[in-house]
Amino acid sequence: MKKTFLYTGLAILLSVGASAQKNSDAIKFSETITKDRGFSHLSVLASDEYEGRETGKKGAWMAAEYIKKQFKSFGLKGPVKDGKDKYFQNVGLITNDVAGASLAVNGKARKLNADFMIPSNSVANAPIAINVNEVIFAGYGLTKDGYDDFAGINAEGKVIMIFSAGDPTIKAGEPELTGRAAMMARQKMMTTLMKAKPKAILLVDMNFDKMPEYAKIAAASGRIMLKKDAPATAAPARPTLTTLTISPATANEILKTSNTTVEALAQKIKESGKPASITANTALMVAAQKKETTHRGENVLGFLEGSDPILKNEVLVVTSHYDHIGLVADPNATDKVNNGADDDGSGTTGVLMLAEAFAKAAKAGKGPKRSVLFMTVVGEEKGLLGSEWYAEHPIFSIENTITNLNIDMIGRGDDDRPGDNNFVYIIGSNMLSDDLDRIGKKANEDYVNIVLDEKYNNRTDPNQFYYRSDHYNFAKFGIPVIFYFNGVHKDYHQPGDEVSKIDFPMLAKRAQLVYFTAWELANGANRPVVNKNEDGTPKTN
């Protein structure tokens, strides 16, 4: 439950004014946030040895161990109580993978990945067991512009075979749909087909034999996700249409009793401009099931308790995600590692440098009044999983969490701002709290003085950056946030995101901005006032 905090006008003024004068202690302990210190961390985290730090893989586990070692060396405490390692919050990660997949045509078994494949997202939680004696070929599965592959066909409860791509209604000279437009068109077609309630769909991929083996295997592996507790009243399960992708040779085996081939049918449709749907009297058996697999993944937490006996119960959370996208799938690639130096090795490096600076201040008797949780999360690239897990299983109560400062990419520039990296995008700073917005900007003015670009600081940004990093899992619970971001570049999610391309002086400068903002928040007279709802409307008391 959200708690509303009330403040007097005087208290708000005191909070805003807290950063009106430079703090010599804050400046003194910021001196460890340097380009050289940044390089020492990032050259490890983004090395080839860490294999791109993919969630659930060895590289991410290595990164988690490295971060934990640093937190311990700084003197931060592990706050997790219900686990073997107090620095690790275990995240409930699972995949639902296809297992026991088989296909037989006229009693002859076909070979998985050589003749057919079953994507994980086309298998329901219940096992598949299909045994039919006919398959309906329905061309391209289209109903549009006077063309109807399903004319006279009742698809309900039947196995339907269609081409996986193509549109015979496109006239000569007209461009065919490609990329996202083609994908959206096929999704629309599949949605329409699902309403017809077929038993299964066989997608004939004319390029099946050219598809790399690793891509076929990956398709059968489920998307990594969080294992959720079942709600008291479960929502109706989303319908799943069993879909197999098959080779042309397999399709021709199905059509053998009809004395035709998919190549001949495609040519017939092309020449006539009319459907060529037929029913093949073929025995078809399909079986598959899903197998839940658990995966190791952990958020890494380092905790610094506040020095004030009352304010220490309030917690500032500083985050980054340490995971990236792992190894390049193509075994023939020249560079096989997506190093993720900027995304988000740079942010993780920033969190480590902040943690060290605050810890040194505490050892010198100048620690923050409020408690600070430094947390690097896993699974951001898989859908903000680690931060979602923390927000739903918080170590420190949501009501006592005053702000989240999230660092996701602070090591390079933006292709839209060539030639000058003396900036950082701030996102979300005024979404929930005008007070937080003023504190963050005043900290920049007093200590760092870099350009704060608010180009993406809105909910209607087409890139949707406000919703695309870990801060959002705090914001949706009413916790004010600032997201620090350097924008995208040509190496975004590419092997070229290397340590050699990092602007370390700017990484350190941006990290210093987060540090000074954190210092003001952790030591201010009052926590930032939340004066807006998540939709931006004013909050009423």
Side-chain angles (χ1 to χ4, degrees), residues 83-304:
K84 294 181 180 179
D85 193 318
K86 296 185 183 302
Y87 290 88
F88 285 169
Q89 181 189 37
N90 294 322
V91 178
L93 299 175
I94 61 168
T95 56
N96 288 304
D97 307 321
V98 175
S102 65
L103 169 67
V105 179
N106 289 322
K108 182 180 179 181
R110 311 302 295 186
K111 187 176 179 181
L112 180 65
N113 295 330
D115 301 314
F116 75 102
M117 55 181 278
I118 304 181
S120 174
N121 61 6
S122 74
V123 179
N125 290 330
I128 295 173
I130 296 173
N131 188 350
V132 296
N133 291 310
E134 65 177 27
V135 175
I136 299 174
F137 172 78
Y140 294 85
L142 295 176
T143 301
K144 57 178 288 190
D145 304 328
Y147 177 97
D148 186 1
D149 279 316
F150 294 101
I153 293 175
N154 178 11
E156 185 171 355
K158 306 293 179 61
V159 173
I160 306 296
M161 182 167 66
I162 59 177
F163 290 114
S164 65
D167 186 342
T169 68
I170 295 177
K171 298 178 182 178
E174 293 181 352
E176 291 195 17
L177 296 178
T178 59
R180 181 172 176 80
M183 180 183 71
M184 295 299 291
R186 294 305 286 181
Q187 285 182 348
K188 182 178 179 181
M189 181 272 292
M190 292 296 288
T191 299
T192 301
L193 186 54
M194 185 178 288
K195 294 178 181 178
K197 300 180 180 179
K199 184 182 291 288
I201 297 293
L202 307 179
L203 293 176
V204 184
D205 187 338
M206 300 304 287
N207 294 309
F208 187 93
D209 296 331
K210 298 178 182 178
M211 191 183 304
E213 179 81 3
Y214 66 81
K216 297 173 183 175
I217 294 172
S221 300
R223 177 178 62 86
I224 199 163
M225 63 183 69
L226 296 179
K227 184 175 179 64
K228 301 268 190 174
D229 295 331
T233 304
R238 183 178 178 181
T240 301
L241 180 58
T242 299
T243 306
L244 285 72
T245 301
I246 63 175
S247 67
T250 302
N252 287 338
E253 188 67 25
I254 292 170
L255 292 170
K256 193 172 183 179
T257 58
S258 300
N259 297 315
T260 188
T261 65
V262 285
E263 293 84 0
L265 290 169
Q267 186 65 27
K268 182 177 180 180
I269 295 171
K270 180 179 178 180
E271 291 176 352
S272 68
K274 297 179 181 180
S277 302
I278 60 172
T279 298
N281 296 316
T282 301
L284 187 82
M285 295 181 66
V286 180
Q289 61 185 356
K290 276 195 173 179
K291 175 184 177 183
E292 182 178 287
T293 304
T294 60
H295 298 270
R296 174 187 164 186
E298 50 265 324
N299 297 327
V300 191
L301 285 67
F303 180 65
L304 181 62

Side-chain angles (χ1 to χ4, degrees), residues 18 32 35 51 95 118 198 210 221 224 253 272 289 298 323 373 380 400 432 468 514-515 538:
T32 59
K35 62 182 180 63
E51 298 182 350
T95 56
I118 304 181
K210 298 178 182 178
S221 300
I224 199 163
E253 188 67 25
S272 68
Q289 61 185 356
E298 50 265 324
D323 66 300
L373 175 65
E380 192 270 356
N400 287 343
L432 297 173
R468 285 174 54 184
V514 185
Y515 164 82

